[in-house]
Amino acid sequence: MAAPSSLSRRRFLAGSLTVAGTAVLAGCTGRGSATTAGSSTSFGTPPPLAPKPGQNVVAATLTPTATTLDLGGTTVSTWAYGDAAPGPLIRASAGDLLRVTVDNQLSSDTSVHWHGIRLRNVADGVPGVTQDPIAAGAQYMYEFEVPDPGTYFFHPHTGVQLDRGLYAPLIIDDPAEPGQYDAEWIVVLDDWIDGTGTSPDDVLQDLTNGAGTSGGMGGMGHGSMNMGPAPFGDAGDVTYPYYVINGRNHTAPSVFEGSPGQRVRIRVINAASDTIFAVALGGHTFQVTHSDGFPVEPAQTGAFYIGMGERYDAIVTLGDGVFPLYAEPFNKTGAALAVVRTAAGDAPTVSARPGELSGDVLLGSDLTPAESALLPTQTPDRELDLSLNGQMQPYQWGMNGAVFGENEPLIVAEGERVRIRIVNMTMMAHPIHLHGHTFALTSSGLRKDTVLLAPMESRTIDLDADNAGDWALHCHNIYHAEAGMMTLLNYG
Ligand SMILES: [Cu+2]
């Protein structure tokens, strides 16, 4: 990025929102909130989806429920899918039909969004946009086909529930892939605050009240002219007491056991709500092979960044010993740790920060797409602008000058090649996520469904409007999204 180190006052103000205070208040009440705003229309039951002849059906049940989890010496009361976070893995092959029943045992509405999947609109899981909320005690069935292999995950699209323990991996296998690896390891990263004396709803309320002293809030100095450290500046709003990998704090890390020389495919998912991580495996080199599910030209690196909602797959050849898999939160204090073991010996502790994190850390958006992942070359039929707006004081985030519900949807027509120019007019980084589509960065053709924009950075994306419906387009910092940093991509 080429952002200047100091900005004129005028330019800074251009990024701020001038919405009325009432709109922001509406965004933090939990009910009628930003990510669940919209019409009061009832969506009813989605039309059933019958399997095609020979089509494999994968059935699963998810039970969002209040539970108690041990993060590794720390016990927290939280909400999760069943009795673990991450919740149960759902695994299918490209082309399968998924049938997932959600049995909502929470005392609250919920929903499930299948992050990154190009699915039919009615199964997208956005209350007020594609479905009614799943009421407390109610059941709801999601039925959809999964067209693309890759590493995905699922989580609620209701309020700030993502920042509880409600998330789990969704892996779509490629029946045609040679699978040139010996083992697989799914690594889910998260920032954790729920049940530690505060809840995500408390955190959001404190942020919107401008409180910087309670609820573990930090990051003072937001709203100043200071860009913060490269490449992401002031990347988060919340100070978390814990960072976890596969639900485990560094005090009792999860362990992957393998043997020396084994080639392991590591699927890294960032399920955090407010934290960009840098990931390294001490003493090893990653060969990054996929970004948000789609193949890239294999890239060697000792470490890579991963924003909220992004996924990267990498192959490593295991050494002989015991090694730290380390996820360091960008511009925050603390670390998440897991352990790779191929021999006897003492496990590394959180003090064993891999030297790879001090070298070049790969930016995912610098990857080169594999030939097979390119969109066909085509001149855009339509060009749209998307500005990211907002600031910490007061806590207001929006798109195209207004909060969700007050901004205009982006309108496209089926069959068009659409170009969207995204301009981050704020002093913070934002991972921007589009539902129902995978776009290409025009800079390289890299296919993504979630792209990180550094403070004041611009990016242009192309997509084929080939999946009709009303699709959420939002920041994957859940606090930004809930405060209003969301719009819709609608088919006119
Ligand atoms: Cu954001």
Side-chain angles (χ1 to χ4, degrees):
M1 59 163 252
S5 58
S6 68
L7 296 164
S8 74
R9 176 99 185 129
R10 192 187 67 76
R11 210 173 156 204
F12 176 62
L13 287 175
S16 62
L17 284 172
T18 53
V19 292
T22 49
V24 173
L25 285 174
C28 64
T29 56
R31 297 193 67 81
S33 60
T35 51
T36 55
S39 70
S40 53
T41 319
S42 176
F43 290 82
T45 305
L49 196 57
K52 297 167 187 162
Q55 187 175 31
N56 187 45
V57 177
V58 173
T61 299
L62 292 175
T63 311
T65 188
T67 190
T68 301
L69 298 181
D70 177 11
L71 303 181
T74 303
T75 301
V76 292
S77 295
T78 188
W79 297 352
Y81 294 122
D83 56 2
L89 164 69
I90 297 182
R91 182 153 215 150
S93 289
D96 287 355
L97 191 157
L98 261 62
R99 254 182 205 155
V100 185
T101 301
V102 177
D103 181 9
N104 183 9
Q105 296 295 318
L106 299 171
S107 58
S108 160
D109 291 351
T110 194
S111 57
V112 181
H113 169 60
W114 313 92
H115 183 111
I117 302 286
R118 294 191 302 129
L119 40 54
R120 63 179 190 149
N121 193 232
V122 293
D124 194 42
V126 183
V129 177
T130 66
Q131 67 170 82
D132 298 321
I134 307 172
Q139 293 202 341
Y140 189 91
M141 185 156 71
Y142 291 94
E143 287 182 304
F144 55 97
E145 284 187 14
V146 288
D148 303 309
T151 302
Y152 304 93
F153 70 123
F154 53 89
H155 59 77
H157 222 277
T158 299
V160 290
Q161 289 182 9
L162 170 65
D163 208 12
R164 297 182 188 254
L166 293 165
Y167 57 82
L170 171 60
I171 305 298
I172 309 301
D173 291 309
D174 184 353
E177 191 191 50
Q180 292 169 338
Y181 49 92
D182 307 311
E184 180 194 76
W185 186 27
I186 301 170
V187 170
V188 186
L189 313 178
D190 193 18
D191 45 17
W192 196 283
I193 196 165
D194 193 33
T196 64
T198 187
S199 73
D201 292 307
D202 297 334
V203 169
L204 178 64
Q205 192 168 5
D206 282 352
L207 286 167
T208 47
N209 289 343
T213 52
S214 63
M217 229 63 56
M220 302 309 290
H222 287 301
S224 72
M225 294 295 120
N226 185 356
M227 293 286 286
F232 300 120
D234 281 335
D237 302 344
V238 183
T239 300
Y240 286 85
Y242 304 107
Y243 297 94
V244 296
I245 295 178
N246 294 343
R248 304 296 285 173
N249 189 10
H250 67 77
T251 49
S254 79
V255 179
F256 178 86
E257 297 197 5
S259 19
Q262 243 184 351
R263 282 167 59 83
V264 179
R265 179 179 189 165
I266 306 182
R267 299 176 181 263
V268 185
I269 299 166
N270 185 351
S273 287
D274 182 72
T275 304
I276 298 165
F277 290 96
V279 180
L281 175 58
H284 291 74
T285 299
F286 293 118
Q287 183 183 45
V288 180
T289 59
H290 295 76
S291 156
D292 293 355
F294 281 74
V296 299
E297 289 295 327
Q300 309 282 337
T301 187
F304 58 88
Y305 289 112
I306 182 166
M308 300 82 92
E310 286 191 296
R311 293 89 60 211
Y312 291 101
D313 295 13
I315 301 271
V316 293
T317 302
L318 296 185
D320 191 350
V322 195
F323 308 97
L325 187 283
Y326 212 90
E328 186 167 67
F330 181 82
N331 200 20
K332 295 182 178 185
T333 304
L337 177 75
V339 170
V340 171
R341 175 181 291 283
T342 66
D346 290 342
T349 68
V350 72
S351 61
R353 180 182 186 266
E356 286 81 0
L357 290 168
S358 302
D360 288 335
V361 182
L362 178 82
L363 255 175
S365 45
D366 288 340
L367 289 163
T368 303
E371 193 81 23
S372 63
L374 293 172
L375 283 181
T377 303
Q378 192 182 326
T379 308
D381 300 300
R382 188 188 295 266
E383 301 199 19
L384 299 166
D385 289 303
L386 180 69
S387 68
L388 314 181
N389 324 110
Q391 70 287 312
M392 289 295 289
Q393 300 286 351
Y395 196 75
Q396 295 176 329
W397 302 100
M399 285 179 159
N400 282 345
V403 296
F404 179 58
E406 300 190 355
N407 51 18
E408 294 294 321
L410 305 183
I411 306 291
V412 301
E414 186 143 30
E416 288 180 335
R417 169 64 58 85
V418 176
R419 176 161 290 178
I420 306 177
R421 292 179 294 253
I422 311 174
V423 182
N424 182 1
M425 301 174 80
T426 81
M427 303 297 283
M428 286 194 68
H430 306 282
I432 299 302
H433 174 54
L434 173 62
H435 291 206
H437 302 75
T438 301
F439 50 77
L441 306 184
T442 57
S443 51
S444 63
L446 181 71
R447 295 291 290 278
K448 301 278 294 166
D449 54 62
T450 309
V451 63
L452 258 175
L453 276 86
M456 306 306 289
E457 189 178 34
S458 298
R459 284 207 171 268
T460 303
I461 61 172
D462 280 356
L463 62 102
D464 282 330
D466 58 1
N467 194 8
D470 297 338
W471 300 101
L473 171 57
H474 65 96
C475 178
H476 221 275
N477 179 312
I478 198 61
Y479 295 99
H480 294 182
E482 187 61 9
M485 197 174 233
M486 170 159 148
T487 189
L488 297 178
L489 181 81
N490 289 354
Y491 283 62

